[in-house]
Amino acid sequence: MNQKNVLVTGANGYIGNAVAKAFSRAGWKVYGLIRRPELAQELARQEIFPVVGSPENLTFMAQISDVAFDVIVSNTEISMTPPGILLKFVP
């Protein structure tokens, strides 16, 4: 069976980090989106692959362009996005 991939936004926050760790414990390969690069090392210690960026600026996708995600979990609030739309990924 292939390992599944998940992208967790806000992976260094209280809820986002708990969600990311739960996926990791369940055997998923977890990518954690964080805004501050200085937090990347802590995520890596938790076996979460840090991705620096934000949902408002999709340039972070270049860091993970070779990954197909089975699940995307958003733990961030995007104030500039209409209600009901969390992330928009353009292939």
Side-chain angles (χ1 to χ4, degrees):
M1 184 167 118
N2 290 341
Q3 186 177 36
K4 294 189 177 200
N5 298 314
V6 60
L7 173 65
V8 178
T9 68
N12 63 319
Y14 183 75
I15 294 172
N17 191 253
V19 169
K21 287 193 271 189
F23 271 101
S24 182
R25 284 191 306 269
W28 290 61
K29 187 168 184 179
V30 181
Y31 295 82
L33 184 63
I34 57 176
R35 296 176 195 267
R36 297 179 15 216
E38 63 271 16
L39 301 174
Q41 192 173 29
E42 178 59 29
L43 278 189
R45 278 194 291 274
Q46 299 172 8
E47 297 184 4
I48 300 167
F49 296 90
V51 179
V52 179
S54 75
E56 293 90 1
N57 182 344
L58 298 181
T59 57
F60 74 87
M61 291 297 292
Q63 300 172 57
I64 50 175
S65 63
D66 60 336
V67 179
F69 291 104
D70 298 287
V71 175
I72 298 172
V73 180
S74 178
N75 295 287
T76 55
E77 181 178 322
I78 304 170
S79 60
M80 300 300 290
T81 304
I85 299 174
L86 298 178
L87 291 173
K88 179 181 177 186
F89 291 98
V90 179

